[in-house]
Amino acid sequence: MSDVLLQVKNLATVLESGKSLIRAVDGISFDIRRHETFALLGESGCGKSMTALSIMRLLPETGHVAAGSITLDGEDLLALPEIAMRNVRGKRIAMIFQEPMTSLNPVLSVGQQIVETLQQHTDLHGDAAWQRAIGLLDEVGIPDAARRCGDYPFQLSGGMKQRVMIAIALACEPELLIADEPTTALDVTIQAQVLELLRQLQQKRGMAILLITHDLGVVAEMANRVAVMYAGEIVELADRASFFAAPRHPYSQKLFASLPGQHKRGKQLEVIKGAVPRLDQQFSGCRFAERCDHAADICRSAVPQWRENAEGRGVRCHLADSLIPSQVAIQDDQAAAGGEPDESVPLLQVAGLKVHFPIRKGLFQHVVGQVMAVDGVDLEIRAGRTLALVGESGCGKTTVGKGILQLLRPTGGSVRYAGNELAGLTSSRLRHYRADLQVIFQDPYASLDPRMRVGDILEEGMIALSVSRSKAERLMRMDQLMQQVGLTAEARFRYPHEFSGGQRQRIAIARALAVNPKLIVCDEPTSALDVSVQAQILNLLKSLQDNLGLAYLFITHNLSVVEYFAHEVAVMYLGRIVERGGVAELLHTPRHPYTQALLSAAPVADLGAKREIIRLGGDLPSPANPPSGCHFHPRCQHVMPICRAVYPASMLIGTSVDVRCHLYS
């Protein structure tokens, strides 16, 4: 039996776009061995997901494989009839898609969707299939799995929907798992659990994994070999150790240089100038030449050929032998924590914020309980400052943001913006504040109207809130916005479905900026972006903050972004803030056991980093029935009798950290 499970040779996939052909995948070759994790890395729009869809034969109607071969354990997948391919999908090859909201059926419960897969490919039916579905949800870290099986996708958070997708993919124990950004929507603790779960399943079943990601930290933790993809081609291939020690292609080097972190705090992140070139053209030179800092004349006049050494390390670059390989160094020097805090009155003051949802049962829908999604949150944000809100999926972070913006009416508490109380205002009176308070949602596909062109989406807010007086002003503003977020002006005439996930997120950011806000609730604004585009967006948000005094409530699970971008951090658990303080002190000396677990689980793009992941016991409790005393005590390794009985009071530790934990009382 061959060691190679999947072999891709000279694969070319084209998409028809009017009279032109888009060469989304242009002659790539690689193989995936049994038991290994093969990472495919690169920017949005480079062809990574299209490669996966070609392997699965799930291309859109306008796409087809124009050349090449794809063999699974010696069997040519491109030669199989569709009915035979259906038995391959889900059983021998499974896929975790990038956007769970568009991949899950909105009219079926998540349990039914898992059972559907089991019934198609296994002998499990009825109660046995349902119990297996519950077990799978429990494996991927969804609390109260038996009840959640009956929930529909819209009732789950973004992270929970992604975990459901992982459960569906793993249901039939596939030989090859294609994971397209499998941890993008997950917080770091669940990400660590999912990656550990994938590793365990891989060891147990001999499963191979094709990991598509833009997270170099995940690649460092998971991959055996790495292929870097750019503009439809593979430009570098190496084993993990060699790649992280010294990436050779200029594009790979730029990806590392774009990573945020504390050692870059106060500085502009390096970005890759320009954008990925259009793929409906014939290239006469290197596809990266116009964005490369080292490009020579030969790079623009001759197409670089693939060169591979005896160890299997390959690169597609004219100058690879003359360039000094980039030495990847993760610095640990202490950086300044940003400017001095603004001592003026806070722009936003939140006190005792509560957002509860009634639980209704019976024919007459009587209220039998409350889901306490947010249960007494206090926050302050000053003009020109960034407060990062971190915590596990389902802890209430997004609900806090919506409660502040009055998109969800609070059950209790106060929300004051610039000294004005927002809670309780009528819709007409709230309209006065809408331009000042904007939001960037987590899922750009769900938040952008699929029937509107991008230009109309940007213009809609400007017209509704009377931001620009004339059509000419609005057009000029739209062109400026598109350039700021790294898209071309022509993109205004296209629809959201014509863009990649990362490009759609950039459009969502442009829409929020269009009405000149003063406070933006950023709900995972960079989670769908690769590191180079993330650097552009962070530079843009930072520049806007410096120049316009913008304030941000930055909801995220990317702690390297928090280290680089935030001034203060609030850690949230089960509807309440458990630790809050300055970014430098809190992240380097975490006090609360939950904060310590979060920080330990964050992946880093450094193979030499020594870290011990703190495994949290049990599941995240249900906000409909929170534990007595400290909500974290069922999962805490330091639990004491008082923790089970009394919720801890706030304690000031050090110079800036406010923690709620009996260990410090």
Side-chain angles (χ1 to χ4, degrees), residues 207-250:
M207 176 177 67
I209 298 175
L210 171 57
L211 178 65
I212 297 172
T213 184
H214 61 258
D215 191 330
L216 285 162
V218 172
V219 173
E221 191 167 321
M222 289 289 293
N224 301 110
R225 290 186 298 146
V226 185
V228 181
M229 197 165 182
Y230 182 79
E233 293 183 325
I234 289 178
V235 297
E236 184 168 2
L237 192 153
D239 65 85
R240 178 182 60 176
S242 300
F243 179 71
F244 278 85
R248 297 190 64 200
H249 197 280

Side-chain angles (χ1 to χ4, degrees), residues 446-663:
S447 62
L448 298 175
D449 191 329
R451 298 166 296 179
M452 296 176 67
R453 298 179 190 272
V454 170
D456 298 328
I457 290 172
L458 298 181
E459 190 177 28
E460 182 182 36
M462 289 189 275
I463 293 173
L465 300 175
S466 304
V467 172
S468 298
R469 296 180 181 178
S470 67
K471 181 75 172 180
E473 286 182 5
R474 291 194 294 271
L475 290 175
M476 186 181 302
R477 175 66 174 150
M478 283 189 280
D479 288 344
Q480 179 189 23
L481 287 166
M482 298 304 280
Q483 183 180 14
Q484 281 182 317
V485 299
L487 295 173
T488 62
E490 291 75 17
R492 290 194 290 110
F493 304 103
R494 295 159 62 187
Y495 290 92
H497 74 269
E498 298 180 76
F499 296 90
S500 68
Q503 290 169 328
R504 281 195 290 268
Q505 189 65 293
R506 282 181 265 176
I507 294 167
I509 292 170
R511 178 180 61 180
L513 296 173
V515 294
N516 303 318
K518 292 182 175 60
L519 171 69
I520 301 179
V521 175
C522 304
D523 190 359
E524 302 281 7
T526 60
S527 65
L529 306 181
D530 56 82
V531 290
S532 61
V533 180
Q534 174 181 264
Q536 293 178 23
I537 297 304
L538 291 177
N539 285 343
L540 171 62
L541 293 175
K542 191 175 186 302
S543 173
L544 290 166
Q545 186 173 65
D546 293 341
N547 296 329
L548 303 176
L550 285 177
Y552 300 119
L553 174 61
F554 205 90
I555 298 169
T556 184
H557 62 259
N558 189 331
L559 293 176
S560 64
V561 170
V562 173
E563 281 188 316
Y564 170 75
F565 191 66
H567 298 95
E568 291 91 28
V569 187
V571 181
M572 193 168 182
Y573 185 80
L574 206 64
R576 297 182 180 182
I577 303 297
V578 297
E579 189 167 2
R580 181 178 61 190
V583 64
E585 185 174 359
L586 190 146
L587 294 185
H588 286 87
T589 315
R591 269 78 174 192
H592 199 283
Y594 177 61
T595 309
Q596 294 169 0
L598 277 182
L599 296 178
S600 76
V604 293
D606 180 11
L607 298 186
K610 295 181 179 179
R611 63 194 184 103
E612 180 181 351
I613 297 177
I614 299 173
R615 306 290 180 189
L616 294 180
D619 298 320
L620 182 71
S622 171
N625 186 27
S628 60
C630 174
H631 291 350
F632 186 63
H633 84 256
R635 308 174 73 188
C636 182
Q637 58 184 337
H638 305 291
V639 63
M640 301 179 292
I642 192 175
C643 302
R644 298 184 175 91
V646 180
Y647 194 84
S650 176
M651 297 289 296
L652 181 64
I653 306 293
T655 59
S656 67
V657 175
D658 187 353
V659 63
R660 288 180 176 271
C661 180
H662 288 298
L663 291 174

Side-chain angles (χ1 to χ4, degrees), residues 151-230:
D151 285 354
Y152 291 86
F154 75 89
Q155 295 174 282
L156 305 179
S157 68
M160 287 185 177
K161 285 194 282 281
Q162 189 68 294
R163 282 179 265 172
V164 170
M165 284 297 305
I166 294 171
I168 293 172
L170 296 176
C172 300
E173 303 185 5
E175 299 170 47
L176 172 66
L177 176 66
I178 300 175
D180 189 358
E181 303 284 4
T183 59
T184 292
L186 304 182
D187 58 81
V188 290
T189 55
I190 300 300
Q191 181 184 62
Q193 290 178 20
V194 169
L195 295 179
E196 179 63 26
L197 173 64
L198 292 177
R199 280 194 294 266
Q200 291 175 356
L201 291 168
Q202 187 175 37
Q203 294 170 2
K204 179 181 177 181
R205 306 171 184 175
M207 176 177 67
I209 298 175
L210 171 57
L211 178 65
I212 297 172
T213 184
H214 61 258
D215 191 330
L216 285 162
V218 172
V219 173
E221 191 167 321
M222 289 289 293
N224 301 110
R225 290 186 298 146
V226 185
V228 181
M229 197 165 182
Y230 182 79

Side-chain angles (χ1 to χ4, degrees), residues 17-30:
S17 178
K19 296 181 180 179
S20 61
L21 290 179
I22 298 173
R23 297 170 180 84
V25 181
D26 200 6
I28 69 170
S29 299
F30 64 89

Side-chain angles (χ1 to χ4, degrees), residues 328-340:
V328 178
I330 306 300
Q331 303 178 42
D332 294 319
D333 56 302
Q334 185 75 16
E340 289 299 316

